[in-house]
Amino acid sequence: MADDRLRLSVLGPLRAWRGTRQLDLGPTRQRALLAALVLRPGRTVSADELLDDVWGLEPPGTGRRVIPTYVFRLRKCLRATEDAPADAVIARGSSGYRFADTTAEVDAASMERLAAEAAAAERSGDLIAAVRAASAALDTFRGEPLTGLPGPFAEGHRLRLAERRIALQLDRAAWQLRLGRHREVVDELAALTGIHPHHEALAALLMRALHGAGRRADALAVYTTLRRRLVDDLGVEPGREPRRVHQAVLRGEDEALGVPVRWERKPRNELPADGGELAGREAELARLAEAGDPAVVTVVAVDGVPGAGKSALAVRAAHRLRSGHPDGCLFIDLYGHTEGHEPLRPDQALPRLLRAIGVDGAHTADVDELAASWRSATASLRLLLLLDNAKSAAQVRPLLPSGPGSRVLVTSRQRLTGLSADRRVSLDALEPEAAHGLLRRVVGADRVDDEPVAARELARLCGGLPLALRIAAARLQNRPTWTFGYLVARLADDERRLGELTAEDHGVEAALRLSYRQLPEGEQRTFRMLGLVPTPEFEPLAVAAILGCSAAEAERSLENLVDASLLLQPAGGRYRLHDLLGVYARRLASGEPHDVIAAARGRVLRLYAVAARLASDWGVHDPATGPSMADAPFADWTEATAWLDAVGGDLTEVVGYAARAGEADYVCWIAEGLVEYLIRQGRYEECRTGIGLALPLAEASTDRRMRAALRRGFGVAEGMQGRYESGRPWCEEALRISREVGDRHEEARALAMMGTLDSVTGEAERALAVLREANTLGRSLDDPYIVGMSIANTGMVHARMGRIEEARSFLEQGVVFAENINRPRPIAMALGSLGKFLLGLGEHGDAVPLLRRAARAAEESGDIDLNADCLSLWGAAESGLGNVETAVGLQRRAFGLLSEHTRPQLELAIRNRLAAGLFAAGDVAGAREQFRVVLARTEASGHHTERAWALAGVRAC
């Protein structure tokens, strides 16, 4: 709900608002009457008092009768709503009127509150907070208070508020002088002196400010001018305070003037040298160098993986910021992650920082006393402080200066979550182009251009890590006879790569080893075992399987590794090891006992096998081979599918991982289980690749079903992509093998798929015979999926043969079986087949609800092609009912689902249906365009039906 509180401003022209709407307060004297009430909050004011306040000695001819009239108008103007009570804002009592809105916001009250905060902060010794609050109080003034309002009351309060403003200005200036901000207040005080030439306290402050700013002669001139004005204009001498300040300036008595003692020193610049080119960090550099709030200390934290170039980036940013910090640029290495050094403690760092600004603060070892001395000494300074290589937020916090406008840059491998930072910048690997550019600059453009492919491969093997890239480039610099290709060959072996990326006393492996050793024992184990993850990106459940713990425990450990900058987080709940960190983790994992590695690998592979099995259409109807499903971490197919979706990436990486480990059973189980899941998403090539990796190991698998199942899966992938002729031989081979080994389930599946392929290639009689055999075998095995699939496809064969009643009967039976299976994809396929059949008969009214349900089920299943087909068929049925606008909308939704993975025949059919819908809607040009696309794509193909439809469409257009 919008804030509609009443707001009033008296510190300038009198104005009022309800929310953002400014109110019309009426004529001048009506406004003056409102001011007389507002500035007496809660007090009842009589009509006679109000007459005197507004008109003084010249009351109106109507006398006090004018007061109720003004009050009536003001009530009407100020109330929140038309039906609000009349006295909600201005109440009427027995003796007068009272401003009654206790929720109203009056700027004069806000000013007094802020002024009180400023005074309280000054009493507590927090001058910075006092100055900030006083500035906020002064910001409430918008000009001369009660501008233009007549009457004795307005005149008196105008003078009172003006004096309050001057007092606040003087207080703020005095506090700023105590902070050493002499130059900041000189201009403001000089301007005020011009307005108030006889104000002695103001002149005294100006003299102190000028003296503190090193302008002693100007300070003495202020006194001379003040004395002349007082004598000439008023006939009096200056009072005690300006005389005291004058004498102190003459004698140079800083303490008497309240001027902080400044040590005569040249501001130090301790920043390390800027190391030349900084590749690929322009955005991060701009963020570090952004302007900060001049009223506070700005803290910017930089974190990232070891070797990401955090220090180099911070040094470059510090050099850019140097000119804005005239009191010094300080640097200190906190040794948070340095081999052979203990992290620098605050009680060690603070004396060094104090000496750097000319203060001897080493008389105590107490951290709190040292930190207090540091804050006091820096309160008037605008410093740039670079704290490099921090270990923790606790190490950094005592080192923060207090001077407004100061900037602190902190670098750390850890994410310093306990540090209150204004900005955080996390560094990852360089983008490929930036990494390539770094090699060009360091090694030389000519050498890089001579071997561009090898140079890019070198950048990839270095993981885009600046430290690794610079070491590799240095090796090529120092060995002119080495080629990029030669160094790439040396780095290609994981066992040698980290050792090759070492130069003298520093290297990638040393940096990674130190970060690893600083981890708690639990996170060390997690990092080691991440060397066993099967995919470049992973999520907590997979890591939990490897560790043998709960997903929540795994996630906590992973998040700790993210904070330690040993793990990247590309998205919430998703994690990834930097390439070189992955090499290091795999090396550490290889040192684990063989039985530990085998058990961890088995657990994670079983997780993928179970998820793939549950997510498939066969689901729990699978034969009892493969890993046990008893304690699966997924309640049903939706959870398994959602997890596979979240895992993302190329799932054949898991199959390849299992193959490299020699886990023949898991290779086959995962590849076969993923067939249905991948096909639903149109990932046909990935499906074929996975099966291709598994087929050579099928003979070694203890699950004898796999030889036939994998071949049948390959045939399914081929057929679902429209490669019917090449799909059938795979199914025939699966049938042969299943009969050889007596696997009746695989025999039935192979027959059902063969019949499906025959039905769409025009082999009607053969299709009916094969499907009949599959149906009989499926019933004997009590497998509803095989029975339902064979019945539905039998119905489609009858439909193509013109056997309407047989087709209707079989298709309706197919829907019943699909609903008993209770999986969305079989339901969508069965409903879609029946709906398409009815559409062909012109029974559009009966087809629409079936196809609507089919589209929704297909969407739920995640089968993109099936969803597109059902939407398009639904659109065609709506068009048949004359619902042209609905039809075109559905066709456009279907068209939007097409991709490079869509089966060619399905794409052509959807384009034709879209064109027909557009034509019916009067968009002849759009229809013609789609028909022509179909013609172009069928010119050399065998899609005769779709081509004939498009030719007829073009003629109609």
Side-chain angles (χ1 to χ4, degrees):
M1 182 177 178
D3 185 2
D4 63 347
R5 283 184 305 167
L6 180 64
R7 293 185 295 118
L8 295 114
S9 172
V10 298
L11 301 179
L14 179 63
R15 292 180 293 177
W17 298 264
R18 275 284 179 194
T20 59
R21 178 173 58 91
Q22 186 170 349
L23 308 177
D24 181 3
L25 298 178
T28 301
R29 292 197 186 272
Q30 182 173 299
R31 297 155 68 90
L33 186 144
L34 176 61
L37 292 172
V38 168
L39 289 172
R40 293 183 178 116
R43 178 185 160 191
T44 300
V45 186
S46 70
D48 290 334
E49 281 183 281
L50 290 172
L51 275 176
D52 292 339
D53 290 343
V54 177
W55 282 273
L57 299 176
E58 299 178 355
T62 56
R64 59 191 298 177
R65 291 197 306 273
V66 73
I67 301 299
T69 301
Y70 280 178
V71 169
F72 173 79
R73 293 175 184 170
L74 288 169
R75 283 173 168 172
K76 185 176 181 181
C77 165
L78 296 173
R79 64 187 178 184
T81 60
E82 289 292 331
D83 56 354
D87 59 353
V89 179
I90 300 176
R92 178 76 166 92
S94 59
S95 57
Y97 299 93
R98 174 173 52 87
F99 185 71
D101 191 345
T102 57
T103 65
E105 182 181 311
V106 182
D107 59 359
S110 299
M111 179 269 292
E112 293 295 353
R113 176 178 53 77
L114 291 165
E117 289 180 11
E122 188 273 337
R123 286 193 299 274
S124 70
D126 191 348
L127 293 179
I128 293 173
V131 169
R132 190 179 303 125
S135 297
L138 288 166
D139 286 343
T140 61
F141 285 87
R142 294 291 185 267
E144 181 185 48
L146 302 172
T147 307
L149 293 188
F153 181 88
E155 186 59 38
H157 278 271
R158 189 158 36 241
L159 180 60
R160 177 184 68 82
L161 292 169
E163 289 294 329
R164 188 75 179 96
R165 185 180 194 178
I166 294 171
L168 273 172
Q169 290 171 317
L170 295 181
D171 285 343
R172 182 178 67 173
W175 299 332
Q176 287 176 303
L177 291 182
R178 287 165 62 185
L179 287 169
R181 303 178 188 174
H182 313 98
R183 294 179 178 84
E184 293 181 29
V185 300
V186 164
D187 290 343
E188 181 184 7
L189 292 175
L192 285 173
T193 302
I195 300 171
H196 306 283
H198 304 115
H199 203 299
E200 296 185 26
L202 179 55
L205 272 177
L206 179 56
M207 284 189 280
R208 289 171 55 195
L210 288 166
H211 174 75
R215 296 166 60 182
R216 184 164 175 262
D218 292 334
L220 294 173
V222 169
Y223 180 80
T224 301
T225 302
L226 173 68
R227 182 177 182 279
R228 184 176 66 248
R229 285 173 175 168
L230 289 173
V231 171
D232 292 348
D233 298 345
L234 305 177
V236 297
E237 290 286 340
R240 183 172 178 274
E241 178 62 10
R243 291 202 310 272
R244 184 190 69 79
V245 173
H246 178 239
Q247 290 300 312
V249 171
L250 285 171
R251 296 174 184 142
E253 297 173 348
D254 287 344
E255 291 186 13
L257 292 168
V259 176
V261 177
R262 280 185 172 271
W263 302 272
E264 290 298 324
R265 65 176 185 87
K266 183 179 180 181
R268 294 176 64 129
N269 177 17
E270 299 179 344
L271 297 178
D274 190 354
E277 288 287 346
L278 190 70
R281 301 296 191 198
E282 291 76 13
E284 293 89 345
L285 180 60
R287 186 146 172 73
L288 261 63
E290 282 179 13
D293 186 344
V296 298
V297 177
T298 299
V299 179
V300 183
V302 183
D303 61 72
V305 297
K310 299 177 291 293
S311 297
L313 176 65
V315 167
R316 171 64 58 83
H319 278 280
R320 283 198 180 182
L321 294 164
R322 177 184 168 190
S323 61
H325 299 84
D327 296 313
C329 301
L330 309 183
F331 171 86
I332 192 163
D333 187 343
L334 297 176
Y335 296 121
H337 305 86
T338 304
E339 193 84 52
H341 281 275
E342 288 295 318
L344 199 66
R345 302 189 308 273
D347 65 316
Q348 296 172 310
L350 283 165
R352 289 174 53 179
L353 290 171
L354 284 164
R355 288 193 297 271
I357 61 170
V359 180
D360 186 3
H363 301 299
T364 178
D366 185 82
V367 172
D368 292 337
E369 286 189 37
L370 285 168
S373 297
W374 170 244
R375 289 194 299 272
S376 175
T378 57
S380 62
L381 303 179
R382 194 157 70 245
L383 294 171
L384 174 63
L385 176 60
L386 174 49
L387 300 174
D388 191 34
N389 197 12
K391 178 71 168 65
S392 66
Q395 185 188 28
V396 170
R397 280 194 296 266
L399 312 184
L400 301 179
S402 63
S406 294
R407 176 77 65 106
V408 182
L409 302 177
V410 187
T411 72
S412 176
R413 294 183 189 179
Q414 299 277 353
R415 289 188 175 177
L416 304 180
T417 54
L419 180 66
S420 180
D422 299 276
R423 287 192 289 278
R424 297 183 187 274
V425 174
S426 295
L427 299 186
D428 194 355
L430 295 175
E431 292 295 327
E433 284 304 316
H436 189 254
L438 178 62
L439 291 175
R440 286 177 64 86
R441 286 190 289 273
V442 178
V443 181
D446 290 343
R447 291 182 67 182
V448 171
D449 291 342
D450 285 343
E451 299 179 85
V453 176
R456 292 190 182 278
E457 180 62 10
L458 178 62
R460 187 191 68 79
L461 289 170
C462 290
L465 203 64
L467 174 62
L469 288 163
R470 290 189 180 278
I471 291 173
R475 300 201 75 183
L476 290 170
Q477 278 182 325
N478 295 329
R479 291 168 175 77
T481 60
W482 281 22
T483 64
F484 275 91
Y486 178 72
L487 183 54
V488 163
R490 295 174 69 97
L491 294 177
D493 182 0
D494 272 8
E495 293 298 318
R496 296 181 57 182
R497 191 182 312 176
L498 295 178
E500 290 288 339
L501 295 174
T502 301
E504 296 183 357
D505 61 343
H506 69 290
V508 174
E509 185 172 6
L512 301 182
R513 182 171 57 245
L514 181 62
S515 289
Y516 169 75
R517 288 176 177 173
Q518 291 180 337
L519 293 171
E521 183 177 345
E523 274 64 53
Q524 284 190 3
R525 177 173 180 264
T526 299
F527 183 80
R528 287 196 306 274
M529 300 305 279
L530 289 180
L532 299 176
V533 294
T535 56
E537 286 193 13
F538 42 89
E539 49 69 67
L541 191 57
V543 177
I546 290 174
L547 296 175
C549 67
S550 70
E553 290 174 298
E555 184 176 28
R556 281 194 295 272
S557 193
L558 291 169
E559 288 294 326
N560 290 337
L561 290 176
V562 170
D563 288 339
S565 293
L566 288 175
L567 195 58
L568 303 173
Q569 193 169 37
R574 304 278 304 143
Y575 304 90
R576 179 171 66 84
L577 281 167
H578 180 276
D579 291 351
L580 294 179
L581 282 163
V583 171
Y584 188 55
R586 288 192 291 275
R587 177 185 295 181
L588 292 174
S590 67
E592 293 288 308
H594 177 73
D595 60 333
V596 171
I597 294 174
R601 183 182 290 133
R603 286 192 297 269
V604 73
L605 289 175
R606 179 179 176 276
L607 175 68
Y608 277 95
V610 166
R613 176 70 58 83
L614 280 175
S616 73
D617 288 341
W618 302 95
V620 294
H621 301 296
D622 258 345
T625 64
S628 169
M629 311 289 282
D631 58 346
F634 313 107
D636 55 23
W637 74 272
T638 58
E639 287 190 9
T641 298
W643 183 75
L644 288 172
D645 290 343
V647 166
D650 187 343
L651 289 172
T652 60
E653 291 171 338
V654 182
V655 182
Y657 168 88
R660 290 190 296 275
E663 297 280 358
D665 283 345
Y666 281 115
V667 172
C668 297
W669 289 335
I670 296 171
E672 188 239 358
L674 286 173
V675 169
E676 303 284 356
Y677 171 80
L678 293 173
I679 284 174
R680 288 202 300 266
Q681 301 189 5
R683 294 156 68 177
Y684 302 106
E685 192 57 41
E686 195 174 333
C687 181
R688 282 191 291 267
T689 300
I691 295 175
L693 290 169
L695 277 171
L697 294 175
E699 294 292 340
S701 174
T702 60
D703 187 347
R704 305 312 300 163
R705 188 175 65 85
M706 288 298 103
R707 291 174 56 214
L710 289 170
R711 287 166 171 81
R712 187 254 313 157
F714 205 101
V716 170
E718 291 286 274
M720 293 302 293
Q721 200 175 7
R723 302 175 179 178
Y724 310 121
E725 299 297 336
S726 60
R728 199 176 199 283
W730 286 98
C731 295
E732 289 173 345
E733 182 68 5
L735 179 64
R736 182 188 64 77
I737 294 172
S738 63
R739 284 174 170 169
E740 282 180 2
V741 300
D743 189 332
R744 303 288 280 168
H745 276 283
E746 280 306 316
E747 180 184 353
R749 289 184 178 187
L751 286 167
M753 192 61 206
M754 287 168 58
T756 301
L757 294 173
D758 287 341
S759 71
V760 294
T761 54
E763 299 289 342
E765 294 299 339
R766 187 170 69 177
L768 289 174
V770 173
L771 290 170
R772 189 179 305 112
E773 188 177 358
N775 184 19
T776 301
L777 187 53
R779 288 179 186 275
S780 69
L781 296 170
D782 193 23
D783 190 325
Y785 192 94
I786 294 174
V787 174
M789 179 181 176
S790 59
I791 285 176
N793 281 304
T794 299
M796 292 305 294
V797 175
H798 282 303
R800 292 189 183 96
M801 298 174 73
R803 300 170 180 174
I804 304 304
E805 293 309 315
E806 292 92 333
R808 190 188 301 271
S809 174
F810 275 101
L811 290 171
E812 288 175 348
Q813 290 180 60
V815 171
V816 173
F817 272 92
E819 289 175 338
N820 288 335
I821 295 171
N822 198 28
R823 286 287 183 98
R825 187 166 180 265
I827 291 173
M829 294 173 71
L831 288 170
S833 296
L834 179 55
K836 185 177 182 180
F837 167 72
L838 296 177
L839 179 64
L841 297 178
E843 299 177 15
H844 303 109
D846 292 333
V848 164
L850 294 171
L851 292 168
R852 183 189 299 118
R853 286 179 57 202
R856 289 171 181 169
E859 183 177 16
E860 182 185 356
S861 76
D863 190 321
I864 299 170
D865 278 4
L866 182 59
N867 190 18
D869 195 18
C870 291
L871 284 169
S872 182
L873 290 168
W874 177 14
E878 293 283 4
S879 184
L881 294 175
N883 301 324
V884 175
E885 185 175 346
T886 301
V888 171
L890 290 168
Q891 297 297 351
R892 290 194 186 280
R893 283 175 58 190
F895 185 75
L897 294 175
L898 300 181
S899 71
E900 68 273 15
H901 303 300
T902 304
R903 300 194 307 273
Q905 185 173 1
L906 175 60
E907 179 183 347
L908 296 173
I910 288 174
R911 285 184 180 276
N912 273 333
R913 294 184 197 126
L914 172 60
L918 292 172
F919 184 79
D923 184 357
V924 177
R928 185 186 298 113
E929 179 185 355
Q930 292 300 328
F931 282 135
R932 284 176 173 172
V933 171
V934 173
L935 290 176
R937 297 190 179 181
T938 57
E939 190 171 358
S941 71
H943 299 103
H944 305 300
T945 302
E946 303 304 332
R947 183 171 180 80
W949 186 354
L951 280 169
V954 169
R955 294 190 191 100
C957 291

